Amino acid sequence: MYKKIELIGTDLDGTLLNDDKELTEETLFALRNAHNKGVHIVPITGRPLRGVPSCIKELPQIEYIISSNGAEIFDVKNGCTLFSFSIDSKTSRVLIDELRKLDCMFEPFCDGAGYTEQSIFDYYVSTFKGTPLEDYFFSSRVICDSYDQLFDGKSNCAEEIFVNCAKAETRSRVIEIVEKLGGLQYCNLGDRFIEITKKGVDKGAALKAICAHLGVDINNTIAFADGENDLEFMQAAGTAVAMENAFPIIKNAADIITKSNNDNGVAIIINELIQ
């Protein structure tokens, strides 16, 4: 017998959205039904706020969105940031300077957007145009002349820095830099990407923060997830659900394994547990 559910926290890509980055009618119906029964619906994603698709942002059932892997909690109805847990401006600049020395691409996220220099944006155009990810990259990124101007070490703070490096030795060097600077943490995504955030900031910590704000017992929450950056989120929730398409580490942390994101796995469990 599972606990009463007061809050549903769900990842987006590979979880709530199918591979075409769509919210199916079956899943939408399940979310509406849960909301009508008084359950809070909270998307918890690695995307910056601008990259959250309109099919999620515009749902009247969505009160809060947790973005950038827990670095920002956005109050949808009031149109403002509720909590922000960013890397401080000085460390953001030092980290950018260090990453410049490596054979990798990287982007800082700030104010709900991914800031991208022209060469990286051109790479996205050539790689993702005409794919399901086209809308995400083009809507979530802001082209800037130089990260060095935007992050001067005195003002802007990075919510997250997303690193793309194909070589294992480069990824190892990125991790060394993160550990040397201190006050930071990293998460590997597959064998190419690294997400860097402020130490202690993750989806699990953000789930605890939104539960405290809403007065929800975290034991009465359910987490839906698929990726490696969801582990703390799964561990924090009262009931952890892994998608059939999830990484093994997420499946091992799950109380329930549901069908894949292409087979309405989230909807199946919501309909089962929330009567």
Side-chain angles (χ1 to χ4, degrees), residues 39-69:
V39 179
H40 299 282
I41 313 294
V42 182
I44 303 182
T45 178
R47 295 182 180 219
L49 184 63
R50 281 182 54 142
V52 176
S54 57
C55 66
I56 300 298
K57 284 181 182 174
E58 295 172 5
L59 279 181
Q61 293 81 16
I62 303 298
E63 303 167 87
Y64 302 94
I65 296 172
I66 297 174
S67 60
S68 297
N69 281 318

Side-chain angles (χ1 to χ4, degrees), residues 4-65:
K4 175 186 176 182
I5 304 300
E6 296 182 75
L7 184 148
I8 295 170
T10 178
D11 179 50
L12 295 182
D13 299 291
T15 304
L16 191 67
L17 303 175
N18 63 21
D19 286 350
D20 290 326
K21 307 304 176 186
E22 297 170 337
L23 187 66
T24 68
E25 286 297 324
E26 292 87 345
T27 301
L28 179 57
F29 181 84
L31 294 177
R32 286 173 174 163
N33 182 56
H35 181 264
N36 289 340
K37 295 182 185 301
V39 179
H40 299 282
I41 313 294
V42 182
I44 303 182
T45 178
R47 295 182 180 219
L49 184 63
R50 281 182 54 142
V52 176
S54 57
C55 66
I56 300 298
K57 284 181 182 174
E58 295 172 5
L59 279 181
Q61 293 81 16
I62 303 298
E63 303 167 87
Y64 302 94
I65 296 172

Side-chain angles (χ1 to χ4, degrees), residues 48-51 67-68 71-72 74 81 84 86 108-115 140 142 150-151 155-160:
L49 184 63
R50 281 182 54 142
S67 60
S68 297
E72 181 178 40
F74 187 73
T81 297
S84 181
S86 299
F109 291 1
C110 176
D111 297 328
Y115 283 85
S140 64
V142 174
L150 187 65
F151 296 90
S155 52
N156 287 322
C157 302
E159 297 162 6
E160 171 188 335

